[in-house]
Amino acid sequence: MVPLYSATALLLALMPGVAFGQAESFVVPFASDQPAVWTLYVDGSVQDWNPGSGTLSAIDDITDDLLARLRHEGYPFATVDSVHVDSTAQPDRVTLYVSRGAAVEVDRVDLTGNQAISEGDLRSLMETRSGRRFSPAQLEADLEALLHAYERRGYLLSEIQVLDVELTPDMPFRASISLLIREGPRSPLKGIELAGAERTRTGYAARVAGIRPGEPLSTYEPEQIRQRLLDTGHFQQVGTPEVRVEEDSAAVLVIPVEEAPPGLFDVVLGYQPGNGSRGRRIVGTGHLVMSNLFGAGLGASLRLNRLPGQVSRVETEFSDPLLPYVPFGVSVRFEGLQDSTFYSRQRYRGEVSYRLSRGVEARASLSRERTRPGQAGTELLAGRQRVPRAHALFWGLGFVYRRVDRLQNPRRGAWFEIGFEQGSKERRFRTRSVSGDTTVERTHERQARFSGRGRLFIPTFPRHVLVLGMDANLLQSDTYDPSDLYRFGGATTLRGYDEDRFLGRLVSRTLLEYRYQLDAESFAFVFTDIGYVELPDRGGSGVERGMYPGFGFGMQFDTAIGMVNTSYAANREGGQFSGRIHVGLSFGL
């Protein structure tokens, strides 16, 4: 950006023959070098004004600065009427009486040299218009706005010169302003520079920002670029991008950043009190997340769950959230579940995402599943194998919306994810006839699944946030095997109940949470969860339904080793003193 010509200096230099108010030279007897107390009256009214540690000996400089300020605000005829000095007071007291004088009105503003931006668009950016009071300070601000408009369109070497300011000698005073615009060539974007980054590649940052080096910088939106980088979660802080013009007239976008840790490890331990034949138990999960691998935004994760009843789950995922120069991302995922000797299940899933806009994605998926019965699963129950051997193939569509002000501890905004899957499943199982013979049967059937999650963050009072949420999973099928049903209950699904206590074809949770934000990442909360579980009709027993409320309180806070999340949750069955305690620790690698 080229420095602007001073509109105030031009106003004084280009209007010969017009008498402007000048500061007089004041001689103060016994001038002290000690700071004085100053009072300013402008047109008879006291003004909030402080000349700093001004002394009586500096009165000429102070009055000159005061008149220069008033002229810059659009009062070229401002004068100092009188000065009153009370040297008997301690410290000295000085009272200035100033008149603004006649203001100057804008007669017209002439623009020449503009081609890339229409005259109407340029005038819409200016407050200096015909009929308004002329202010050199406002004119300079208008020229800054015009240069920013050219900068956003890639004309980084643009200049705007104030050619002339003509002032009529008659009352009322009117000013005619002439501006010359030199647009210059459009500057190509040479590249991006991430100031403060050690791992992130500039090519990946350019893809996230939606900018291609080598093309003209025609849509430079600093706040949009900053927010897009923050939304990746790879940066703790992102400053305002600035443009630097190189010697070859090419532009470099400089973005100050502070990178987030490249990895995160979460461990959650839960204590479940004894209940009937079951004694006290400790359950837990570990989650390792590697983000921004190789500085290219790649992600990998591994999750291990140790659940009650010798149930274990493992999940791994690898993702590339943004392919080069196209708004597509891909991910592959593996999920494995082992339920002791009952059954095991493996799921292989591939997904393609398409970024519609900031925080909005559409997704398509393809998954293959395999179920193998264990020793207990091959037993016959009511003449039919308890868990059949099965293969399934599903395709699905999904939609994601995420617009929150902060990722870690949102105060306002919303996010939700919905997904639909449909596929066919082949079962093979043993059955026993009335005569006692055992045969193997095969069946083919279609299944449909629906999943949805969402949160709404509503600020109430300062530091107070109301969180409303809903989680739901639904399976639609002609027949239901135990391996088909959703597991429900625990710290991440229904607080106040044992991990995976429930099985159902429809499971849902409605939550109400009230938070008090301690700082940008920490908060204390109280909550109520209301769960709903529906089991299908199996064996003529009818459909089983149930409502399961839970309640509790907790806190998330930052420590020297990482983020700690603790909660105490209970339900109405065991009473408020028979709750579940969960402690989670998340720290960067």
Side-chain angles (χ1 to χ4, degrees):
M1 179 180 297
V2 177
L4 301 176
Y5 291 90
S6 171
T8 304
L10 284 168
L11 178 63
L12 297 175
L14 298 177
M15 292 180 287
V18 180
F20 293 95
Q22 303 292 330
E24 299 180 12
S25 179
F26 296 95
V27 179
V28 181
F30 311 109
S32 171
D33 290 332
Q34 298 297 320
V37 176
W38 298 79
T39 303
L40 174 64
Y41 283 84
V42 178
D43 293 335
S45 301
V46 178
Q47 302 293 312
D48 185 13
W49 175 67
N50 182 11
S53 57
T55 63
L56 285 176
S57 59
I59 189 170
D60 287 341
D61 293 336
I62 291 174
T63 54
D64 285 344
D65 291 343
L66 175 61
L67 290 179
R69 189 193 73 178
L70 291 173
R71 290 164 185 160
H72 194 62
E73 293 175 356
Y75 299 96
F77 307 101
T79 58
V80 177
D81 296 332
S82 63
V83 178
H84 179 265
V85 179
D86 183 2
S87 58
T88 62
Q90 294 295 327
D92 296 332
R93 296 184 179 274
V94 184
T95 304
L96 296 180
Y97 295 90
V98 178
S99 296
R100 289 191 178 94
V104 178
E105 185 178 289
V106 177
D107 184 24
R108 69 178 189 275
V109 179
D110 297 326
L111 299 174
T112 58
N114 59 295
Q115 293 182 350
I117 305 179
S118 68
E119 182 174 334
D121 290 341
L122 291 176
R123 292 187 183 278
S124 67
L125 299 174
M126 300 180 64
E127 295 296 328
T128 302
R129 302 177 186 177
S130 177
R132 295 187 179 180
R133 180 172 62 85
F134 173 68
S135 167
Q138 182 59 61
L139 177 59
E140 292 185 6
D142 290 342
L143 299 185
E144 290 278 1
L146 298 185
L147 286 176
H148 280 299
Y150 275 103
E151 183 182 90
R152 287 193 295 270
R153 288 164 173 79
Y155 294 88
L156 304 181
L157 301 178
S158 298
E159 299 177 11
I160 302 179
Q161 180 180 355
V162 181
L163 287 179
D164 192 13
V165 177
E166 294 182 356
L167 191 66
T168 61
D170 301 326
M171 297 289 286
F173 295 103
R174 298 176 65 85
S176 299
I177 306 163
S178 298
L179 303 178
L180 174 62
I181 301 174
R182 298 186 180 95
E183 295 177 339
R186 296 183 73 178
S187 301
L189 181 63
K190 186 176 182 179
I192 287 182
E193 179 180 314
L194 297 178
E198 298 180 356
R199 298 182 303 273
T200 306
R201 297 182 181 179
T202 56
Y204 169 65
R207 286 156 50 195
V208 172
I211 295 175
R212 295 189 181 189
E215 295 184 352
L217 189 59
S218 58
T219 56
Y220 174 50
E221 296 292 343
E223 181 58 29
Q224 185 181 71
I225 292 174
R226 192 187 75 86
Q227 192 61 54
R228 284 180 176 178
L229 291 176
L230 279 176
D231 289 344
T232 64
H234 303 326
F235 305 95
Q236 291 182 333
Q237 293 183 4
V238 179
T240 301
E242 297 181 354
V243 176
R244 184 180 70 231
V245 180
E246 302 286 284
E247 294 181 356
D248 57 358
S249 300
V252 174
L253 194 63
V254 182
I255 309 174
V257 298
E258 180 182 340
E259 293 176 310
L264 196 68
F265 181 71
D266 296 334
V267 58
V268 179
L269 297 178
Y271 168 78
Q272 297 181 174
N275 185 6
S277 60
R278 296 178 296 179
R280 299 181 179 91
R281 289 162 296 168
I282 299 294
V283 297
T285 178
H287 188 200
L288 174 64
V289 179
M290 302 300 295
S291 62
N292 201 12
L293 290 174
F294 312 112
L298 305 178
S301 67
L302 171 65
R303 183 189 296 271
L304 299 173
N305 285 10
R306 184 70 178 96
L307 303 172
Q310 296 184 335
V311 177
S312 300
R313 182 185 293 126
V314 60
E315 301 173 9
T316 61
E317 184 175 11
F318 179 81
S319 62
D320 186 347
L322 194 63
L323 298 177
Y325 305 120
V326 292
F328 286 97
V330 295
S331 67
V332 291
R333 182 184 181 93
F334 168 77
E335 301 175 19
L337 175 68
Q338 178 69 47
D339 188 349
S340 184
T341 60
F342 197 32
Y343 70 90
S344 64
R345 185 184 65 205
Q346 296 84 39
R347 176 182 298 170
Y348 304 88
R349 178 185 176 93
E351 186 174 85
V352 176
S353 60
Y354 179 79
R355 189 181 64 195
L356 300 171
S357 62
R358 173 183 162 255
V360 182
E361 289 184 358
R363 297 176 176 177
S365 64
L366 184 67
S367 61
R368 184 172 181 81
E369 300 178 9
R370 183 176 65 180
T371 304
R372 294 290 182 267
Q375 182 177 354
T378 57
E379 296 177 355
L380 300 182
L381 180 65
R384 186 178 183 272
Q385 185 173 318
R386 296 178 65 186
V387 179
R389 181 183 294 264
H391 294 271
L393 184 66
F394 286 86
W395 62 268
L397 298 174
F399 182 81
V400 178
Y401 176 92
R402 187 177 295 270
R403 295 275 180 88
V404 292
D405 56 350
R406 291 195 298 258
L407 295 179
Q408 188 69 249
N409 182 13
R411 175 164 174 78
R412 66 178 68 248
W415 66 262
F416 62 85
E417 302 176 5
I418 57 174
F420 171 79
E421 287 184 301
Q422 183 171 316
S424 60
K425 187 171 186 178
E426 177 186 341
R427 289 184 173 95
R428 188 175 64 181
F429 52 90
R430 294 184 301 118
T431 60
R432 179 180 296 150
S433 64
V434 178
S435 61
D437 295 332
T438 301
T439 60
V440 176
E441 294 186 10
R442 293 177 181 267
T443 62
H444 293 267
E445 62 181 56
R446 303 196 65 82
Q447 289 186 339
R449 300 171 179 163
F450 171 82
S451 62
R453 298 190 307 149
R455 299 292 185 271
L456 176 63
F457 301 91
I458 306 173
T460 53
F461 304 101
R463 293 181 175 266
H464 293 249
V465 180
L466 176 65
V467 183
L468 304 177
M470 180 72 179
D471 303 332
N473 289 281
L474 171 65
L475 170 65
Q476 183 65 45
S477 180
D478 293 333
T479 59
Y480 298 90
D481 299 320
S483 59
D484 292 333
L485 302 179
Y486 296 107
R487 294 174 175 266
F488 193 57
T492 59
T493 54
L494 183 58
R495 292 169 288 189
Y497 295 85
D498 292 347
E499 297 291 328
D500 288 359
R501 170 180 168 178
F502 306 102
L503 290 175
R505 78 169 194 93
L506 170 60
V507 294
S508 68
R509 171 180 65 160
T510 302
L511 68 89
L512 173 66
E513 194 169 289
Y514 198 85
R515 299 179 178 179
Y516 177 75
Q517 295 183 321
L518 304 173
D519 55 39
E521 296 183 342
S522 307
F523 59 91
F525 63 95
V526 295
F527 71 87
T528 297
D529 287 354
I530 301 178
Y532 175 80
V533 179
E534 181 180 301
L535 273 169
D537 183 7
R538 294 185 297 174
S541 59
V543 177
E544 300 178 21
R545 300 181 177 90
M547 300 283 290
Y548 302 93
F551 51 88
F553 57 90
M555 179 180 292
Q556 174 178 293
F557 54 95
D558 197 11
T559 67
I561 60 174
M563 189 69 66
V564 177
N565 191 302
T566 64
S567 66
Y568 176 84
N571 61 67
R572 64 185 181 184
E573 298 173 355
Q576 60 191 32
F577 299 109
S578 300
R580 281 72 180 160
I581 300 174
H582 288 91
V583 179
L585 172 63
S586 175
F587 56 90
L589 302 178

